Amino acid sequence: MLLNAVETGDGDDVVILLHGMTGSAESWWRIAPVLAERGQRVLALDLPGHGLSYRDPHLTIDIAAQSLIETVQMRTPGRRLTAVGHSYGGTVLAAAADRLSLSLAVYVDTICAFDGGQDHDALTARYERDRQRRMDAAWLRGSRPFYSATDASVEARAAERFDPATSAAISCGDDVAHPPGTGSILVRAAPSAFVSDADAERLTSCGVDVRSIPGAAHTIWYSHFDEFCTALPELFGT
């Protein structure tokens, strides 16, 4: 099934943006216009169970990756593609990367792997509790002081549209591992709860260009926007 897309810009080259868990295409609201101003066509996608995309209580990473591939192929035939995936979105991107003919893949604070074997009902309930908190923009700003008012509004709206059962499903099968490929870029917070120093060293040894941003939050461009752009001159030219 195809994914909902928010399109910005009309350049010949295309940048695909994939948000993290509980986010949405709107999570890139500051990033997309900057890329468009640089002549890029930007497609920010809602992953399954997020935003306005489909729900599937039996979702797997492979199913989400296939939806990504079909959406990109339908909307951007013959275009030069760059893709950026944050956290969960990075895992989906890594699972699809070999079939997308990307000129560059960028991963944000993720090793594109996680443990499976979770209980679906219990994890759905946990995600629902988190969703209820995140729907409150004031709570988001209180717990994430680096959020602007717009950041909080965007993420609260994303929480309203988030389907816990769909996202829980991806953790209820086998373990998932789709490591970033050689030649890709990984931008990580330092320290990071998701990409340890040992992970960074291991990925570097495998040909991944690891770039660290000290003090950044997991959603790096929210807490350290300028540093995030500077870390990716391939995209932002800074």
Side-chain angles (χ1 to χ4, degrees):
M1 295 180 67
L2 298 179
L3 302 173
N4 180 62
V6 177
E7 186 167 344
T8 309
D10 58 3
D12 291 332
D13 294 341
V14 179
V15 180
I16 308 298
L17 301 177
L18 302 174
H19 61 81
M21 186 76 75
T22 73
S24 75
E26 285 189 275
S27 296
W28 303 99
W29 72 272
R30 288 186 70 187
I31 296 292
V34 175
L35 293 171
E37 287 172 5
R38 292 187 52 78
Q40 307 277 3
R41 178 183 170 201
V42 182
L43 287 180
L45 303 181
D46 286 327
L47 291 168
H50 295 75
L52 301 179
S53 284
Y54 68 89
R55 276 61 176 137
D56 180 359
H58 305 290
L59 186 72
T60 64
I61 289 293
D62 287 342
I63 291 171
Q66 184 60 36
S67 290
L68 168 61
I69 292 164
E70 292 174 2
T71 302
V72 170
Q73 290 177 341
M74 188 273 290
R75 298 188 69 111
T76 64
R79 299 298 181 93
R80 182 175 181 271
L81 298 175
T82 296
V84 181
H86 173 239
S87 196
Y88 160 54
T91 306
V92 177
L93 173 60
D98 288 346
R99 292 173 284 168
L100 286 175
S101 299
L102 299 171
S103 61
L104 178 64
V106 178
Y107 300 93
V108 183
D109 214 35
T110 178
I111 60 170
C112 305
F114 56 86
D115 294 336
Q118 300 291 315
D119 178 87
H120 189 267
D121 289 345
L123 190 55
T124 298
R126 193 178 94 196
Y127 282 173
E128 176 60 26
R129 290 191 295 271
D130 185 51
R131 186 181 82 92
Q132 292 296 326
R133 288 192 298 266
R134 294 177 63 92
M135 287 193 297
D136 183 348
W139 180 86
L140 284 171
R141 292 201 76 183
S143 61
R144 297 159 177 80
F146 54 87
Y147 270 19
S148 69
T150 302
D151 295 336
S153 176
V154 162
E155 294 303 314
R157 183 162 51 249
E160 291 175 4
R161 295 171 173 172
F162 172 65
D163 179 53
T166 296
S167 292
I170 65 171
S171 296
C172 295
D174 296 334
D175 295 348
V176 173
H178 296 282
T182 299
S184 61
I185 296 171
L186 170 63
V187 182
R188 66 184 283 260
S192 170
F194 296 85
V195 185
S196 68
D197 291 345
D199 290 328
E201 291 177 5
R202 173 177 53 81
L203 291 170
T204 298
S205 71
C206 294
V208 178
D209 185 351
V210 178
R211 305 173 185 180
S212 300
I213 298 180
H218 179 49
T219 311
I220 295 173
W221 67 95
Y222 276 176
S223 69
H224 287 63
F225 179 80
D226 291 339
E227 293 88 343
F228 180 76
C229 294
T230 299
L232 290 170
E234 296 86 352
L235 287 178
F236 300 100
T238 53

